[in-house]
């Protein structure tokens, strides 16, 4: 027997329509790529997105066609999303930090027909223009190219939505540590449900009184859903454009009275440095969600202690839309002392309803939530990928329907998940696993270290032994013995790295993460010192 | 083109399973019907609900079968919900405040097979037992009848969920202003999405650190979803059982450290009286959502000013699952002075994403959001009824798919909806509806009565109380007491009119219907007799 409730498909056009009707005057403020601050409203974004839909229809874009977007966070980028998705086309976010060859590969793989592009990224596309046969037109998101199209378009009674909620809405390729990038094809339903989940109090808790600054790019796992949850909640959005340095972010936070932000650790590390150097205070920011890479505890505590800003650790991936867990204190943890709370809150966090999480041993069996058992992190849920675009990677779910994240993790007795390593980065020594991430975080807490990576080096007896690869801060000086002494007592004795290698450069990948694959290549000829 | 996300149906078994896994030790505390406080956990509720499913399967209950629940808010009632819904059966909540004849009618209309019932309500069912042919068994939710069944049941690998998310989950009859009660048939999907919507910051904002006391009954529009959002968020639940007087509610609020409650105005009016009489202070309660009847501004402000408790006005109906709007300040209102904010916050409120609301003129056209235009309140959305059980009432949606709430409302420039009148003449007493038409029809069955109308008269405690206005037949004679005696047993005791006023003339409107508007004008100076 079926229920007798209304048929109301979860299509994303309803989100911007809701914002138009109930929060029509709420602002979307952008630092434009050209520099000046542009002010818009949800009412205007809605109208302009409908005009953009008209432009697409006039260009012959059909439902299911892919439309690329290579752009930083601005109101225009937001218009592109809703304009593309509203007519059932697929918005393919392109990460400009990928190599031109990779970008060219994924455009061809996706068969993008139209690409909207910030003017600063046009050279990337033009350098491969003749290798992109599916691309019919590239439209620069600027006054010269984009605005005349929007001005001339007549949306009229153009229809939005009205299709199956499982219709594809977005396409985002993972940077792919092995092989070519693979595309995650989000549906209207999955993005809508991700929006609901992230609006809940223990995830992002976005409200209509929030002013939200998504530092995390819209091409980086959907800006963690803020381009949807912002208008769904009616929060003012502040889009930072191209300037993510400490001074620029500080200026936006203060001028626009931002209450909530979301970013990778690097950006808030730069902001912290700026705040300390200038002695400035954040007067409106209440909380910031940090993910995309492990959050250094020192950064978390500095914002809380020095700026009274709640820093919340989170974890997710392109395949989880992206939010998987958030480190909010549940009731038992909230009852602990501040110091005892930190032990849990420094971890990646707990899953909201809609996400099922487990750690599995090598046979696939569940491991206990005891904070000790280490296993492969498996995830299943209402906004988790079931397969990649065009079947790349084959069947990616296990026999219980769980996706293997490629992460290695523990889950403690309070339900806090902690990633101890990437499966491919884990160091196997004497049959046991050593967490490279934990040693990295501890090493980076040393005042002389700017950034560090820990990789496994071949060892004749133990198989692999950990080696620290560190880049020091300018003018800083430290030696191998001091680093090892600094780690002593903080990690099991047998985890102690066999060596510390100082380098001038730690390579980062397109999403800002340390590129360990490249580090391992550079270390190819490295031989461990004999004890 | 469809997205490639996982197939994860929104079935309600996943909510209690999530609570079991991630909040297994979080408490569900109940004041039992027998009196003592019973303590349980989500882990135990989950296990016992599965045992209850086994009991049902052993009794031959099939997917789609209706299972009745006539019970106050307790942990056992929660087990019944999840145990019934988990196997795809339909949990039919029975309101014990309806008349025995109405209860008998809806049990037969629903064809309930099993009924779980608090022992105090057994006499109601037994009084009509031989008129309920579908009812195979009545199980009292007590130590003698219920507990042995749970103890003996072996859930084993009994399957929960695994069916279409549009499968019916719950059935709740509206008390029906015209004709017989009509059943709203919720689906797993609609209840799950209502859960997501109510967990957002601007609706209930339930978090895992909340301790929630749902005063509003589970049979009254699903306790506003708290039986789902509580476990979904991992909030501790405090179930008040039968004692809703000021002293009992105060004791639970303080002893269990409640942070969030939800109730009809009457209960919080009683609590306020108790607090004032005893000089007690609420030390943990942060906010309370009030709905089911218009919230008297004095009550709202008294809790905020005297107890520092945020009182949030809300509106909904059985047909909206029930939350339709909540009166949380959006950004522009939050920027006003406290006095200016109150003008808006005293209204019913604003809709969350998932609810579309409009006011319509007599032709069905939209009226503006200006706080002046008065129109029929129309609602459409993801958890709004599309029709009644067994097709009663026919097609209830307009040509745009909106449901006519039967309320008359304005919407102001900040999006706050205010109900100004009722299209039909229902009387709201203590947060529950009294059907004026039903009492009228019964009264007119008295041989001395020619025509009668029932209108609401203001009452300091119950909001409104019904008054019969009657014109007698020529030469006929009857007094107040005889009319009331005539009604006794035909309607719930609390529906008994507070007065009978005899008049020489009952005005009729142009279509021959009683003109209640004119009657109310004539009754303008009327004051209820003191009991």
């Amino acid at each position: 027997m079926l229920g007798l409730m209304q048929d109301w498909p979860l299509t994303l056009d309803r989100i911007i329509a809701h914002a138009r009707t109930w929060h029509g005057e709420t602002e979307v403020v952008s630092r434009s790529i050209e520099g000046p601050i542009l002010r818009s409203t949800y009412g205007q974004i809605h109208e302009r997105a409908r005009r953009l839909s008209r432009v697409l229809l006039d260009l012959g874009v059909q439902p299911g066609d892919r439309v690329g977007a290579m752009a930083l966070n601005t109101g225009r980028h937001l218009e592109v999303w809703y304009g593309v998705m509203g007519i059932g086309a697929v918005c393919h976010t392109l990460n400009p930090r990928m190599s031109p060859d990779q970008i060219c590969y994924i455009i061809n793989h996706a068969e993008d027909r139209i690409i909207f592009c910030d003017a600063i990224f046009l050279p990337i596309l033009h350098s491969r223009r003749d290798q992109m046969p599916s691309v019919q037109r590239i439209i620069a998101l600027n006054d010269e190219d984009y605005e005349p199209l929007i001005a001339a378009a007549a949306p009229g009674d153009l229809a939005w939505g009205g299709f199956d909620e499982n219709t594809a809405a977005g396409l985002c390729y993972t940077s792919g540590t092995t092989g070519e990038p693979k595309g995650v094809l989000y549906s209207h339903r999955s993005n809508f449900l991700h929006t609901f989940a992230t609006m809940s109090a223990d995830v992002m808790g976005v409200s209509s009184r929030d002013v939200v600054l998504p530092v995390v790019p819209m091409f980086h796992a959907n800006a963690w859903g803020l381009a949807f949850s912002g208008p769904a909640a009616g929060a003012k959005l502040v889009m930072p454009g191209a300037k993510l340095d400490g001074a620029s972010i500080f200026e936006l936070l203060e001028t626009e009275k931002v209450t909530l932000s979301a970013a990778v650790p690097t950006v808030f590390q730069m902001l912290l440095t700026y705040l300390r150097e200038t002695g400035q205070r954040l007067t409106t920011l209440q909380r910031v969600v940090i993910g995309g890479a492990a959050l250094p505890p020192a950064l978390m505590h500095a914002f809380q202690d020095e700026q009274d800003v709640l820093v919340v650790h989170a974890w997710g991936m392109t395949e989880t839309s992206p939010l998987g867990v958030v480190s909010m204190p549940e009731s038992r943890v909230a009852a602990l002392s501040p110091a005892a709370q930190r032990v849990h809150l420094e971890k990646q966090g707990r899953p909201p309803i809609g996400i099922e999480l487990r750690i599995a041993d090598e046979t696939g069996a569940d491991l206990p939530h005891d904070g000790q058992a280490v296993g492969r992190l498996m995830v299943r849920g209402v906004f988790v990928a079931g397969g990649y675009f065009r079947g790349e990677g084959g069947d990616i779910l296990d026999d219980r329907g769980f996706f293997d994240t490629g992460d290695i993790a523990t889950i403690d007795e309070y339900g806090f998940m902690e990633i101890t390593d990437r499966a491919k980065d884990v160091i196997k020594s004497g049959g046991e696993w050593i967490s490279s991430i934990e040693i990295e975080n501890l090493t980076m807490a040393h005042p002389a270290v700017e950034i560090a990576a820990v990789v496994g080096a071949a060892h004749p007896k133990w198989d692999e032994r950990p080696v620290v690869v560190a880049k020091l801060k300018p003018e800083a000086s430290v030696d191998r013995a001091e680093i090892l002494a600094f780690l002593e007592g903080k990690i099991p004795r047998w985890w102690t790295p066999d060596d510390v290698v100082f380098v001038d450069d730690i390579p980062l990948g397109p999403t800002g993460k340390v590129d360990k694959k490249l580090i391992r290549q550079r270390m190819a000829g490295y031989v461990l010192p004999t004890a």
Side-chain angles (χ1 to χ4, degrees), chain A:
Chain A
M1 177 179 295
L2 298 184
L4 293 171
M5 306 304 283
Q6 292 186 10
D7 179 30
W8 201 91
L10 298 168
T11 58
L12 299 164
D13 54 292
R14 296 180 186 273
I15 289 180
I16 198 72
H18 174 84
R20 183 266 321 261
T21 304
W22 301 100
H23 308 274
E25 294 176 32
T26 299
E27 284 187 304
V28 176
V29 179
S30 306
R31 191 190 293 280
S32 65
I33 305 306
E34 295 73 26
I37 298 290
L38 298 182
R39 309 191 88 83
S40 185
T41 64
Y42 283 126
Q44 290 164 346
I45 296 276
H46 178 268
E47 165 66 16
R48 289 165 57 90
R50 286 181 61 78
R51 287 168 176 265
L52 189 130
S53 292
R54 167 55 59 205
V55 171
L56 294 174
L57 292 173
D58 289 349
L59 287 169
V61 171
Q62 301 285 323
D65 282 354
R66 274 74 65 202
V67 175
M70 186 151 70
L72 299 171
N73 293 5
T74 66
R76 283 174 178 155
H77 193 174
L78 202 61
E79 293 160 15
V80 169
W81 277 30
Y82 284 102
V84 171
M85 296 177 189
I87 58 170
V90 179
C91 184
H92 175 201
T93 47
L94 291 160
N95 183 344
R97 296 175 197 155
M98 285 185 174
S99 71
D101 284 343
Q102 276 182 318
I103 290 169
C104 185
Y105 169 84
I106 67 173
I107 287 170
N108 286 324
H109 192 271
E111 295 186 272
D112 294 335
R113 286 192 59 182
I114 312 284
I115 299 178
F116 292 90
C117 182
D118 282 338
I120 49 172
F121 303 130
L122 284 173
I124 300 173
L125 295 180
H126 288 155
S127 73
R128 300 292 188 283
R129 185 68 186 87
D130 58 352
Q131 298 165 44
M132 302 169 178
S134 67
V135 178
Q136 167 185 342
R137 183 154 173 191
I138 295 170
I139 298 170
L141 288 167
N142 59 15
D143 289 348
E144 294 70 31
D145 203 8
Y146 178 74
E147 289 297 333
L149 289 174
I150 296 297
D157 57 356
L158 172 153
W160 262 4
F163 39 73
D164 186 327
E165 69 185 26
N166 292 300
T167 298
L171 177 61
C172 183
Y173 283 74
T174 63
S175 26
T177 50
T178 52
E180 298 290 359
K182 292 188 282 289
V184 177
L185 192 64
Y186 306 106
S187 66
H188 282 260
R189 171 185 165 98
S190 70
N191 278 340
F192 207 123
L193 290 170
H194 183 264
T195 304
F196 267 134
T198 58
M199 286 170 74
S200 68
D202 280 342
V203 182
M204 294 274 212
V206 188
S207 92
S208 65
R209 293 167 304 291
D210 274 316
V211 178
V212 182
L213 175 66
V215 179
V216 58
M218 290 166 72
F219 58 73
H220 181 186
N222 305 315
W224 305 349
L226 287 166
F228 300 120
S229 57
K236 173 177 163 180
L237 279 183
V238 181
M239 305 297 249
K243 294 189 177 172
L244 306 186
D245 60 283
S248 300
I249 292 294
F250 176 77
E251 184 199 347
L252 275 186
L253 289 171
E254 288 297 303
T255 309
E256 301 299 333
K257 303 189 189 331
V258 172
T259 60
L260 169 64
S261 188
V264 295
T266 318
V267 173
F268 264 68
Q269 189 67 62
M270 291 190 297
L271 177 62
L272 180 65
T273 302
Y274 174 81
L275 293 169
R276 284 174 170 172
E277 286 174 359
T278 60
Q280 297 277 15
R281 287 277 303 170
L282 295 169
T283 61
T284 63
L285 188 66
Q286 295 163 5
R287 60 202 195 285
V288 55
V289 180
I290 300 277
L295 168 62
L299 182 62
M300 175 178 180
H301 304 318
F303 269 97
Q304 285 169 344
D305 299 343
E306 298 171 25
Q307 299 284 341
D308 197 23
V309 169
L310 177 67
V311 175
V312 180
H313 201 181
W315 166 89
M317 51 202 307
T318 304
E319 289 86 343
T320 60
S321 295
L323 279 173
V325 303
V326 180
S327 202
M328 289 287 280
E330 59 93 69
S331 53
R332 290 174 300 160
V333 167
L336 300 176
S337 71
Q341 285 189 36
R342 287 185 170 187
V343 172
H344 305 284
L345 299 179
E346 287 172 1
K347 301 183 181 186
Q348 271 76 11
R350 297 164 46 84
I353 180 80
I355 287 283
E356 295 178 84
L357 212 64
R358 65 189 185 90
I359 45 174
D361 68 14
E362 289 180 9
T363 71
D366 289 358
L367 289 166
H369 294 193
D370 61 6
Q372 300 298 319
V374 176
R376 294 185 78 91
L377 183 66
M378 312 293 290
V379 62
R380 187 169 71 176
V382 73
F383 38 82
V384 179
Y388 292 109
F389 191 46
R390 300 197 193 284
E392 301 290 347
D395 183 0
I396 63 171
L397 307 185
D398 73 5
D399 54 4
R400 288 161 62 187
F402 279 79
F403 169 72
D404 186 336
T405 63
D407 283 316
I408 303 295
T410 59
I411 299 175
D412 71 24
E413 60 275 33
Y414 294 100
F416 285 76
M417 183 274 282
E418 181 173 31
I419 292 177
T420 59
D421 234 324
R422 288 290 294 168
K424 61 189 167 40
D425 294 335
V426 75
I427 298 161
K428 282 199 178 178
S429 185
E432 298 286 334
W433 289 355
I434 294 173
S435 165
S436 63
I437 290 174
E438 189 166 343
I439 305 176
E440 283 163 7
N441 287 342
L442 288 167
T443 306
M444 285 192 279
H446 189 286
V449 176
E450 182 172 306
I451 188 165
V454 173
V455 294
H459 188 281
K461 178 175 178 186
W462 302 111
D463 214 6
E464 279 188 326
R465 290 296 303 158
V467 172
V468 174
V469 181
K471 178 189 176 188
L472 299 186
K473 290 176 181 166
E475 315 298 329
S477 168
V478 67
D479 65 7
R480 175 182 184 276
E482 189 178 337
I483 294 288
L484 296 181
F486 183 74
L487 294 173
E488 193 174 347
K490 300 188 178 88
I491 51 174
R493 182 175 297 275
W494 65 277
W495 283 25
T496 306
D498 280 24
D499 199 6
V500 181
V501 177
F502 296 100
V503 295
D504 296 329
D505 170 49
I506 296 276
L508 301 181
T511 57
K513 293 178 190 171
V514 170
D515 186 345
K516 287 200 186 174
K517 192 174 164 188
L518 186 51
I519 291 175
R520 278 190 288 260
Q521 285 172 8
R522 290 180 183 177
M523 297 278 286
Y526 173 82
V527 178
L528 277 174
T530 47

